[in-house]
Amino acid sequence: INTIMDRQRLGLGMFVFSDKKWVLAKQLCEILKHATQFFSRGMPNLAVVIPAMDHIDNVFTTGIINTHILDPAICAALSLAKKTLNRYYSLTDRSETYRIAMVLHPHYKLEYFKAADWEDEWITAARNIVQKVYEHSY
């Protein structure tokens, strides 16, 4: 590594990771790899936003709980990331489009909401939104 980095000539020695930093990097890779793979598959569409956010939220929650496995710095970062994710998740309530896209998506429909343990009133609201828009437009 010293030969590649050529610490004296290039001055890159300060960028060499310590063992602790490598552990943190590996933990972050493990946590974020699924989300990265998910969004790298193809063109994400509106119907996958909520399931993707749910998945990321579950990964973050599991990471926060696993304090015996993950470094405290990673757990703290996940806590902050989860708060940010929840802020964006709550913004989906301002647009009916997300729920309409999911209800009309052949893979999700209302079953996704049921499987994700959404409250019955939220599921009914999603169905009513689609019905209202359909009756208004057609």
Side-chain angles (χ1 to χ4, degrees), residues 5-86:
M5 300 288 288
D6 196 358
R7 290 182 184 193
Q8 286 73 33
R9 194 165 57 89
L10 298 176
L12 299 175
M14 69 179 140
F15 298 109
V16 174
F17 269 20
S18 66
D19 290 342
K20 170 104 171 144
K21 287 183 182 178
W22 277 114
V23 168
L24 293 175
K26 287 177 184 177
Q27 289 179 0
L28 278 175
C29 284
E30 188 61 34
I31 291 167
L32 299 175
K33 75 176 178 183
H34 297 293
T36 303
Q37 289 170 347
F38 180 83
F39 287 110
S40 298
R41 277 189 227 154
M43 188 65 134
N45 60 50
L46 205 53
V48 300
V49 170
I50 290 176
M53 290 178 118
D54 284 343
H55 175 72
I56 293 167
D57 184 63
N58 288 334
V59 171
F60 285 0
T61 301
T62 303
I64 292 167
I65 293 170
N66 287 333
T67 56
H68 62 285
I69 296 172
L70 296 177
D71 188 273
I74 298 293
C75 292
L78 289 175
S79 251
L80 292 172
K82 187 171 169 48
K83 286 180 184 177
T84 302
L85 179 69
N86 288 340

Side-chain angles (χ1 to χ4, degrees), residues 54-126:
D54 284 343
H55 175 72
I56 293 167
D57 184 63
N58 288 334
V59 171
F60 285 0
T61 301
T62 303
I64 292 167
I65 293 170
N66 287 333
T67 56
H68 62 285
I69 296 172
L70 296 177
D71 188 273
I74 298 293
C75 292
L78 289 175
S79 251
L80 292 172
K82 187 171 169 48
K83 286 180 184 177
T84 302
L85 179 69
N86 288 340
R87 188 174 69 237
Y88 284 106
Y89 197 106
S90 68
L91 292 175
T92 64
D93 289 340
R94 294 185 182 178
S95 173
E96 296 176 342
T97 310
Y98 292 98
R99 286 170 278 180
I100 292 169
M102 288 191 63
V103 171
L104 296 179
H105 192 281
H107 180 71
Y108 297 119
K109 302 194 178 282
L110 290 172
E111 292 307 311
Y112 177 83
F113 301 119
K114 294 173 186 172
D117 290 327
W118 280 36
E119 295 179 18
D120 288 338
E121 65 185 61
W122 293 353
I123 296 170
T124 301

